[in-house]
């Protein structure tokens, strides 16, 4: 009866309300897991709390006509706004002596869950021992544990990788003497962004081991290379996640936690901005896009990262080249790694990295809760020559120009919904307050003159209220979820999408996480001139 009710409900939404469907809806109403291995999430989540840590410095096909069949699901505009704004955050870079000396004016971010709990994570921080700002989006699968660990740890690994030899030595000397460490990062976090308090000592010890090795590998006066620092940080953290799971922990909770982190997975897209120098480190299918303002005032999109998926032919060739010719037909099937995983690069996911023998040995010594999860029991088909997956990022560099006005980093839930050019247009119009009207499009729909007049009047009315959101990421999410076939936000459609039950929401969209950073063109212009002189 329950299955019949669910099927009837979905058919009602599809046939009457005309919601667009994601790829997973075609798979017999299975939960949509765009980059999951189609294996369930790893049991229950542990309690996540914010710690008082001494070395962290915190800052705080569709139809035009609608029906009343689901009228009870219509949310009021205040209810819609409450949902959309629940996770929004903004940060403005402080000014010094009345002059903003940073190329970044500030950033705004937001998240909208589809999974329960949400599997996306985000991080933003300023490097205190060096210059630069870090912004990152992490898209988890098979649970949120790996994405949670990345949101807490990856920026520390990057920050340490960027430290000169002498500063690393000062850190180690302070720990040896039992002195408080100078903060490495100034975090810019929303109250809903948590830390796993119980794992902080474990995480710190692994990080310390990393900087001790960096001390041995570097020389006094040596200046770290940003590209190498990002590359090494990604690879080292993924290696530590794997090693911690193999070693385990006497503490039962920590033993269970490190295994959950390792057996789940997450993609990562991270930006490091220092003056006019913009580096993107990407592993997976989150994406960074630059908004460039043209001379006529319009905005164009410049993609800063490449998706590591079946849509990337070079990535397909890389994976096939790393395995014997006998696996050519099996290593990528149905556009997925071993027929299971959509992203071709990710942290964790040791089911695609460890040998079968190592997996069995670790699981046999693991807690009983892990044995109850189907994901850990399952060996991928045609698993002959691991590892099949890597967390090594693809590093891209861009020297900022005055016409580069903003950057959008988003999980794939955004890019599956809106084209990058549409994303840049929406954000550009929001930030400048200039609404460039596009020709009204009605697609293949039969629209009467009366309906056309109504659409034009509705659009005219919406122009005046198009920028009512106080956060650009919220504004973009509103469009991503509520846009109709005419390119405008339909409140009724937005309301129904936000009121879908948890078991149905994931069938229509993914978690959406967005960070939008706004650049200071005057500072960037001056920095470029200084660099050329």
């Amino acid at each position: 009866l329950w299955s019949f009710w669910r099927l009837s409900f979905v058919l009602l939404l599809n046939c009457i309300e005309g919601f667009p469907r994601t790829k997973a809806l075609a798979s017999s109403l299975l939960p949509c897991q765009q980059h999951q291995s189609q294996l369930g999430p790893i049991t229950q989540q542990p309690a996540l709390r914010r710690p008082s840590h001494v070395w962290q410095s915190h800052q705080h096909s569709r139809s035009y006509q609608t029906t009343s069949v689901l009228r009870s699901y219509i949310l009021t505009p205040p209810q819609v706004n409450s949902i959309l704004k629940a996770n929004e955050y903004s940060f403005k870079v402080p000014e010094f002596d009345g002059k903003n000396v940073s190329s970044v004016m500030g950033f705004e971010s937001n998240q909208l869950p589809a999974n329960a709990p949400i599997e996306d994570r985000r991080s933003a921080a300023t490097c205190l021992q060096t210059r630069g700002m870090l912004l990152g989006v992490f898209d988890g699968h098979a649970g949120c544990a790996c994405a949670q660990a990345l949101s807490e740890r990856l920026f520390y690994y990057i920050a340490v990788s960027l430290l000169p030899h002498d500063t690393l030595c000062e850190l180690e000397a302070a720990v040896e003497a039992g002195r408080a460490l100078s903060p490495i990062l100034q975090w810019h976090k929303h109250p809903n962004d948590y830390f796993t308090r119980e794992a902080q000592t474990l995480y710190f010890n692994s990080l310390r081991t990393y900087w001790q090795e960096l001390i041995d590998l570097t020389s006094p006066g040596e200046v770290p290379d940003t590209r190498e620092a990002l590359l090494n940080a990604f690879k080292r953290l993924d290696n530590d996640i794997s090693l911690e799971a193999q070693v385990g922990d006497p503490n039962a909770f920590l033993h269970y936690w490190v295994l959950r982190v390792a057996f789940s997975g997450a993609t990562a897209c991270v930006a490091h901005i220092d003056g006019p120098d913009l580096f993107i480190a990407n592993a997976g299918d989150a994406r960074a896009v630059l908004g460039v303002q043209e001379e006529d005032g319009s905005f164009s999109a410049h993609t800063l990262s490449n998706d590591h998926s079946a849509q990337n032919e070079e990535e397909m060739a890389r994976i096939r080249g790393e395995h014997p010719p006998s696996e050519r037909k099996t290593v990528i099937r149905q556009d997925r790694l071993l027929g299971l995983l959509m992203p071709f690069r990710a942290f964790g996911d040791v089911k695609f990295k460890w040998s079968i023998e190592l997996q069995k040995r670790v699981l046999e010594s693991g807690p009983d809760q892990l044995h109850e999860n189907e994901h850990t029991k399952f060996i991928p088909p045609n698993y002959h020559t691991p590892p099949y997956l890597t967390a090594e990022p693809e590093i891209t560099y861009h020297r900022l120009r005055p016409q580069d006005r903003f950057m959008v980093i988003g999980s794939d839930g955004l890019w599956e919904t809106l084209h990058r050019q549409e994303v840049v247009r929406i954000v550009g119009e929001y930030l400048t307050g200039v609404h460039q009207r596009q020709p009204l499009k009605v697609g293949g729909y039969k629209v009467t003159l009366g309906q056309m007049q109504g659409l034009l009047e509705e659009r005219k009315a919406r122009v005046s209220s198009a920028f009512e959101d106080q956060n650009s990421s919220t504004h973009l999410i509103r469009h991503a979820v509520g846009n109709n076939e005419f390119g405008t936000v339909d409140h009724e459609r937005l309301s129904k999408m936000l009121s879908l039950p948890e078991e149905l929401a994931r069938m229509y969209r993914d978690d959406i996480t967005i960070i939008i950073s706004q650049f200071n063109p005057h500072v960037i212009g001056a920095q470029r001139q200084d660099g050329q002189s």
Side-chain angles (χ1 to χ4, degrees), residues 135-146:
L135 305 170
V137 168
F138 313 103
D139 190 347
H141 46 266
C144 64
C146 189

Side-chain angles (χ1 to χ4, degrees), residues 7 28 41 108 129 131 144 148 168 172 198 233 245 282 297 312 323 344 361 363 373 389 412 464 483 513:
L7 178 60
S28 304
E108 296 174 327
Q129 302 294 330
R131 300 186 309 171
C144 64
Q148 176 64 37
L168 291 171
E172 180 60 21
E198 297 87 348
N282 184 51
N312 185 333
H323 300 276
F344 291 167
R361 184 165 67 249
L363 289 173
N373 186 268
L389 191 66
D412 68 333
S464 61
N483 264 16
T513 298

Side-chain angles (χ1 to χ4, degrees), residues 274-378:
D274 182 5
D277 299 320
L278 169 59
F279 285 89
I280 301 292
N282 184 51
D285 50 11
R287 187 182 301 170
V289 172
L290 198 65
V292 182
Q293 189 166 29
E294 306 296 344
E295 293 183 358
D296 63 358
S298 64
F299 286 88
S300 61
H302 175 70
T303 304
L304 295 168
S305 62
N306 297 311
D307 293 356
H308 301 129
S309 65
Q311 283 64 51
N312 185 333
E313 293 185 0
E314 292 184 2
E315 193 70 1
M316 297 263 284
R318 177 189 68 81
I319 291 177
R320 286 176 173 147
E322 292 176 352
H323 300 276
S326 59
E327 295 186 60
R328 182 174 180 81
K329 293 183 179 181
T330 60
V331 68
I332 299 174
R333 298 180 59 207
Q334 299 178 332
D335 290 343
R336 294 170 181 255
L337 188 66
L338 297 178
L340 298 172
L341 198 64
M342 286 194 72
F344 291 167
R345 302 191 194 194
F347 284 84
D349 282 320
V350 294
K351 297 290 292 185
F352 297 87
K353 297 173 180 177
W354 291 355
S355 68
I356 294 176
E357 293 75 17
L358 178 57
Q359 292 184 42
K360 290 180 177 178
R361 184 165 67 249
V362 169
L363 289 173
E364 286 174 357
S365 62
D368 293 336
Q369 301 100 305
L370 207 66
H371 299 161
E372 299 169 3
N373 186 268
E374 292 298 322
H375 178 58
T376 58
K377 299 177 184 177
F378 187 77

Side-chain angles (χ1 to χ4, degrees), residues 428-503:
E429 290 179 355
Y430 173 87
L431 294 176
T432 60
V434 178
H435 189 81
Q436 299 190 354
R437 298 194 187 183
Q438 305 296 321
L440 186 63
K441 298 179 181 180
V442 296
Y445 299 93
K446 295 181 180 180
V447 181
T448 66
L449 288 177
Q451 291 172 336
M452 179 67 77
Q453 181 181 1
L455 286 169
L456 290 171
E457 291 176 350
E458 182 182 353
R459 185 169 80 165
K460 182 179 179 181
R462 282 176 176 161
V463 168
S464 61
S465 61
F467 309 112
E468 61 185 7
D469 291 312
Q470 302 302 307
N471 184 297
S472 56
S473 295
T474 305
H475 186 70
L476 186 54
I477 290 177
R478 188 184 300 273
H479 278 266
V481 179
N483 264 16
N484 59 18
E485 61 271 25
F486 306 111
T488 60
V489 177
D490 184 325
H491 170 73
E492 187 170 344
R493 171 182 167 77
L494 178 61
S495 169
K496 290 175 181 177
M497 288 294 285
L498 294 179
S499 61
L500 284 172
E502 291 178 357
E503 65 270 15

Side-chain angles (χ1 to χ4, degrees), residues 35 111 118-125 134-141 143-156 158 187 189 193 234 237 265-271 281-287 347 409-413 510-515:
H35 22 239
Q111 293 183 293
I118 185 172
E119 295 182 344
D120 282 4
R121 293 293 187 272
R122 59 183 168 178
S123 289
L134 288 165
L135 305 170
V137 168
F138 313 103
D139 190 347
H141 46 266
C144 64
C146 189
Q148 176 64 37
L150 296 187
S151 70
E152 300 179 40
R153 306 181 68 181
L154 183 56
F155 283 9
Y156 279 120
I158 294 173
W187 289 96
K189 303 188 76 66
D193 298 335
F234 271 59
L237 177 54
T267 66
C269 186
V270 172
N282 184 51
D285 50 11
R287 187 182 301 170
F347 284 84
I409 306 176
S411 57
D412 68 333
D510 197 355
D511 297 329
I512 298 176
T513 298
I514 300 170
I515 300 177

